[in-house]
Amino acid sequence: MELWFTELQSKSIKMSYRVKDVLHTEKTKYQNLAIIETEHFGRMLILDDVVQLTMKDEFIYHEMMAHVPLVTHGNPERVLVIGGGDGGTLREILKHPVKEAHLVEIDERVIEASKKFFPALSVAFEDPRAKVFCEDGIAYVKRFKNYYDVIIVDSTDPVGPAVGLFAKEFYKDIYEALTDKGVFVAQTESPFYYEDLLKNVYSAVSSIFPHTAVYTATIPTYPGSLWTFTMGSKQIDPLTSDISNIPDLDTKYYTPSIQRSCFNLPAFINEIISK
Ligand code: AG3
């Protein structure tokens, strides 16, 4: 018998993965959570039928989520991840000499499932510098002023519990929660399937932060593969920041030269964000 998992990448596009084994399914308070073993990409985390990560390509997304903003900042001490309950982004942050890395995840079942099924990511939770809060990230950031050096929003797609994580109000609270040199980044989806989202986030972030920049990475299991990240920075220009002191990072995608080149955008993405 052939078993396949299909993600509806848009209303008219499907991507299917041959499944070796279904390891876990559950309905949490917030979403449907599934963990399967796929033939080509290995173990996969799925939330509400959407691929969140696979063992084969998770390094690309998590390295680019963490290293680009941390290196832009230069010497971050306190870093916050909003979402990212699998621990992948946190694991990458902890490769830097940060003092504290906090993670606020609304669904504690994602954290628990990751501890059981994704030890290579959830090792991050065992680091003494890591602290986890299980609550709504939107309410959480409101309580902080001038506190975090870097804030990373590792959210699901802009549907259901994540809608508020793409709103201007939330970006204002993030701005306040950041220190003077603070840097913020959010995953902002595919420029092919979520063009309006990218445009709207860019416009919201640039109405709040003095510097806004988009960068990309290629992630095979996300719709369209070409993925965007939008950065807001309070002081440092991400395109000319001092990168003479990048720590020695053990990475498989990120390199010091990608720190600069990832901000070089194809013309059609420049066109989307300049509208
Ligand atoms: N965050 C979700 C990225 C969005 C994936 N979208 C999709 N497949 N349609 C990933 C969480 C991993 N830490």
Side-chain angles (χ1 to χ4, degrees), residues 7 50-53 61-62 84 86 154-157 187 189 221-223 227:
E7 175 178 338
V50 171
V51 177
Q52 300 301 314
L53 67 91
Y61 177 82
H62 293 128
D86 49 80
D154 183 3
S155 72
T156 50
D157 289 356
Q187 74 87 0
E189 305 284 330
T221 57
Y222 288 172
W227 209 249

Side-chain angles (χ1 to χ4, degrees), residues 2-219:
E2 271 189 23
L3 197 55
W4 292 74
F5 162 72
T6 298
E7 175 178 338
L8 203 55
Q9 296 201 336
S10 80
K11 282 194 185 104
S12 59
I13 301 184
K14 288 175 170 178
M15 170 89 155
S16 296
Y17 303 83
R18 180 133 182 214
V19 178
K20 271 208 223 152
D21 207 0
V22 177
L23 302 174
H24 181 76
T25 57
E26 94 177 80
K27 200 172 159 46
T28 76
K29 221 171 118 189
Y30 300 95
Q31 52 209 340
N32 289 312
L33 186 163
I35 294 156
I36 63 175
E37 199 68 49
T38 68
E39 199 81 47
H40 188 82
F41 283 98
R43 203 165 279 190
M44 174 187 277
L45 171 67
I46 302 162
L47 295 175
D48 285 341
D49 297 319
V50 171
V51 177
Q52 300 301 314
L53 67 91
T54 78
M55 281 312 289
K56 198 178 172 77
D57 71 345
E58 60 83 14
F59 68 94
I60 307 173
Y61 177 82
H62 293 128
E63 288 179 13
M64 291 301 280
M65 253 333 227
H67 303 313
V68 180
L70 267 67
V71 168
T72 297
H73 182 283
N75 59 340
E77 296 191 343
R78 236 186 238 143
V79 180
L80 174 68
V81 184
I82 297 172
D86 49 80
T89 300
L90 194 64
R91 179 196 63 203
E92 295 305 313
I93 291 168
L94 292 164
K95 291 179 179 172
H96 295 253
V98 298
K99 290 208 173 111
E100 292 174 57
H102 297 168
L103 180 138
V104 53
E105 162 65 55
I106 197 166
D107 192 343
E108 73 175 310
R109 292 303 307 152
V110 175
I111 298 173
E112 291 314 312
S114 179
K115 284 184 179 160
K116 182 155 177 209
F117 295 101
F118 295 99
L121 285 80
S122 54
V123 279
F125 299 122
E126 284 154 35
D127 190 294
R129 296 169 293 163
K131 212 183 261 173
V132 173
F133 305 91
C134 285
E135 63 168 286
D136 182 3
I138 298 171
Y140 180 91
V141 281
K142 279 190 196 299
R143 299 202 296 273
F144 294 87
K145 297 274 172 281
N146 191 27
Y147 191 79
Y148 289 106
D149 298 313
V150 176
I151 298 181
I152 299 173
V153 183
D154 183 3
S155 72
T156 50
D157 289 356
V159 279
V163 171
L165 300 178
F166 293 88
K168 188 165 169 180
E169 281 312 303
F170 176 57
Y171 301 144
K172 281 188 190 152
D173 293 335
I174 286 183
Y175 182 92
E176 295 298 327
L178 285 168
T179 51
D180 292 345
K181 246 179 83 180
V183 175
F184 144 76
V185 75
Q187 74 87 0
T188 43
E189 305 284 330
S190 151
F192 289 104
Y193 299 131
Y194 271 103
E195 183 178 331
D196 285 347
L197 177 105
L198 175 60
K199 188 175 88 186
N200 295 337
V201 170
Y202 186 86
S203 127
V205 174
S206 52
S207 74
I208 301 164
F209 286 82
H211 302 278
T212 309
V214 170
Y215 61 92
T216 64
T218 302
I219 304 163

